Structures are given as structure tokens and as C-alpha cells.
Amino acid sequence: MSVPEHHTDRPTQKEAEQAVRTLLRWAGDDPTREGLLDTPARVARAYTDFFSGYEIDPANLLRRTFSEVDGYDEIVLLRDIRFESHCEHHLAPIIGRAHVAYLPRQRVVGISKLARVVDAYARRLQIQERMTAQIANTINDELEPHGVAVIIESAHECMTTRGVHKPGVSMVTSTMLGVFRNNSDTRRELMAMLNRPAVSDY
């Protein structure tokens, strides 16, 4: 999976800051007042952090693997990977946790790399369904395991702070590949490791 190419007409930092000033005026405030003078630059710097995933090739994070696992052939699960993303429809935050599991075939990867793959996709404009599939497909393509499972639980501020205003609601999505999709016993074992009821096959 390649990193999206930046268009040659990508705005400059100065142009980005001017866009923020325009939005401040549109909201009804005065971007020249003292409290807002540095806001455009701060917002531009924040966006650089929020959307740093566009600069990362998630597949490349998984290229260094280890084959000396003494025959280990059970589930590898990294639970509760906290992430912060942004809804592509309203630019509102998505705050949640990802659970990432795979059943190795011959190779394993450093666990921090799994968390980095989650962040690489989270730090882009997203919808949760696509992000869940992107993480699972990348791990499946690069590690070629017996199976991959990704479950994401998150709160979307586009519905908690605007629109229907329903705080406390979480959205759950999952992508199951290989044995996690085809073998109910393997899926049940995963749910038990996540402390989920066996019937919660997502």
C-alpha cells in the first residue's frame, strides 16, 4: 500500500494559515484580536500532527519481521491501542481503542509496529469502517499469517458534540480475515482473550 501522493498544488503554510483566518472570520470572530493572532499558526501545526499518517507507509512498518519463534503458533493479540483520528465528514475527533490480533504462519513482528500501523491510518481523515479494513488488510498482506482480526471501538464527536448530541455512544467495527473469519473456535478464543462473551462474534 503506497502513501497517497501529494499534489504539486499543495497549499503552503502561509496559505493554510490564511484559510484558518477565513474560517475565524466566517465563525463571526476577529482573527486580528490578541487572543487569535497566533491561532492560524497553531492550527496549521496541529494539523501537521493530526494528519501525519499521510507521510507514513504503513506496509513499510511491517517489513522487518522475526522468524525465530520456536514454533509459536497461537494468537498474538495487542489490546486497547488508543488512537485519535478525525472524521472526514466534519473534521471532528474520533477517539477510541483498537484490538489487533493475528495468527502467525512463520513470522512475527515487533508489537510496537502493530500500534504504529494503527496510528498511521488513524492520523488521516477517516471513516471507522475503512480504517478497520485498512489495518487488517495491511497486516494480512505483509505478514501473510493464518488470519488477522481487527476490532475498533470508538466515540465520534461528530455525533456527541453536534447533530444528534448523543454522548456515551460507542461504535464497534471489525474485520476478520483467514481463520478468524472461517473458524468459529479461533474466533471464540479471540473473544475470550478480549473478555467478550463467546456469542459476540461481531
Side-chain angles (χ1 to χ4, degrees):
M1 292 188 183
S2 60
V3 182
E5 292 183 6
H6 291 304
H7 298 294
T8 55
D9 61 348
R10 184 180 185 182
T12 64
Q13 175 88 8
K14 184 177 179 181
E15 289 172 324
E17 292 179 15
Q18 185 55 47
V20 176
R21 291 187 189 93
T22 299
L23 283 173
L24 292 172
R25 289 201 313 274
W26 180 83
D29 215 320
D30 177 8
T32 65
R33 70 175 175 84
E34 183 179 9
L36 293 178
L37 277 177
D38 295 326
T39 296
R42 292 190 188 106
V43 171
R45 287 195 300 270
Y47 268 42
T48 299
D49 182 38
F50 292 160
F51 305 120
S52 59
Y54 288 115
E55 306 294 335
I56 300 169
D57 180 355
N60 192 51
L61 296 170
L62 301 173
R63 300 260 158 85
R64 184 182 180 191
T65 59
F66 307 94
S67 57
E68 295 181 4
V69 294
D70 288 337
Y72 183 84
D73 59 357
E74 299 294 335
I75 294 172
V76 175
L77 169 65
L78 200 59
R79 298 193 314 184
D80 298 315
I81 306 168
R82 188 182 186 278
F83 69 86
E84 301 156 4
S85 190
H86 285 78
C87 162
E88 68 180 34
H89 300 139
H90 302 97
L91 302 185
I94 303 170
I95 309 296
R97 297 176 299 157
H99 315 293
V100 178
Y102 69 101
L103 189 60
R105 190 179 301 272
Q106 294 177 328
R107 300 177 295 147
V108 297
V109 70
I111 58 173
S112 68
K113 300 300 189 297
L114 297 176
R116 290 180 185 276
V117 169
V118 171
D119 274 345
Y121 283 118
R123 291 178 178 273
R124 302 179 183 193
L125 293 170
Q126 279 291 10
I127 62 170
Q128 184 173 323
E129 298 90 337
R130 181 177 63 221
M131 176 178 157
T132 307
Q134 286 174 328
I135 295 167
N137 289 331
T138 299
I139 295 170
N140 193 58
D141 290 346
E142 294 303 316
L143 299 186
E144 299 180 336
H146 291 291
V148 178
V150 176
I151 299 171
I152 292 180
E153 305 171 74
S154 70
H156 291 240
E157 292 194 13
C158 59
M159 80 172 283
T160 63
T161 62
R162 61 164 299 282
V164 294
H165 288 276
K166 297 296 182 186
V169 175
S170 61
M171 179 177 176
V172 180
T173 53
S174 70
T175 296
M176 304 281 175
L177 303 175
V179 292
F180 291 105
R181 184 179 187 87
N182 302 325
N183 188 312
S184 59
D185 290 338
T186 305
R187 192 161 58 249
R188 258 193 298 274
E189 181 182 353
L190 171 65
M191 294 306 165
M193 294 171 73
L194 287 169
N195 296 318
R196 299 292 191 277
V199 294
S200 296
D201 282 348
Y202 289 104

